[in-house]
Amino acid sequence: AKLILITSLILGTTITISSNHWMLAWTGLEINTMAIIPLICKPHHPRAIEATIKYFLTQSTASALILFSSMTNAWSSGQWDITQLSHPTSSLLLTMAISIKLGLVPFHFWFPEVLQGSSLTTALLLSTLMKLPPITLLLLTSQSLNPTSLTLLAISSTLVGGWMGLNQTQIRKILAFSSISHLGWMIIIILYSPKLTILAFTLYVMMTTTVFLSLNQTKILKLSTMLISWTKAPMLNTTLMLTLLSLAGLPPLTGFMPKWLILQELTKQEMIPAATIISLLSLLGLFFYLRLAYHSTITLPPNSSNHMKLWLTNKTPNTSAAILTTLSTFLLPLSP
């Protein structure tokens, strides 16, 4: 069953990415949603079931809106081509539907909840692979979307993603809010330089995958357990700290590259206020990444926790995690 579900996920994503016709793109999105649902509700837990239902309702609403917007467009222009989105109402509807699918502010409420209710591997799928089809649709239609609404969505996403991540203790929720603020960075540049959106998305996927794989190795779900996980896998926690700082976008690491290029492009487009606001808002994100990094590599917890110290594990190291860690920390000096 797992094989069928994973294959369906890849198939749905591929269909949406490679389609020209609205119906085909919609079918791909539906296959995707249907395939991820059993994966979310696999742990028989009330939280998982609740997450599944929330996910299903939001995604089906977004799918209906996409269908509605493409039909309105086909009605007015007489063709179903994705790149020819000429009707203003349908482009507005599409922006709404995609932001529900991606979890952009103000449609972000489902995302942290769903991530909190699913396992770490499912959460990884939800925050990386499931974001690819909607972003592709945005890239294809970006010429006909409204720049003001996109910039507003982007800035509010960075704001809320940074702001609401400050107070969280659950690691999956923190990563959900980090995902929301990264999406804000991708969306703000999509009209002016789609290549940068693709770059930001690729690097984000790489860094997030590293973080989730590292957490999966040590089975950490809360900040309090992260405090004492240092003894369990010291090397892994050190690299996890570097990856988290890279996600925050600190200069010598990979995560700084997309932010740098996006800010440069925004200043070229004479969007100085937007660039200033979004770079200031990334400081909010930096705060909680620093907190995570501090928690991951602290040797002696300052407060005496009532958890037992964990034993050092001699598990076989994860090769993919090692490669991904290297990439998510050292790609900036290598980039041309």
Side-chain angles (χ1 to χ4, degrees), residues 50-67:
E50 182 192 351
T52 314
I53 290 173
K54 281 177 179 168
Y55 185 77
F56 175 70
L57 291 175
T58 48
Q59 297 296 316
S60 46
T61 314
S63 287
L65 277 174
I66 286 179
L67 209 52

Side-chain angles (χ1 to χ4, degrees), residues 116 164-175 177 220-226 288 291-292 295:
Q116 184 54 32
M164 290 180 76
L166 295 180
N167 214 5
Q168 302 295 336
T169 54
Q170 297 286 346
I171 289 180
R172 282 167 296 184
K173 278 197 176 174
I174 294 182
L175 286 169
F177 286 118
I220 307 171
L221 295 174
K222 292 201 294 288
L223 280 180
S224 55
T225 43
M226 201 175 195
F288 64 77
R291 193 165 118 214
L292 270 177
H295 275 282

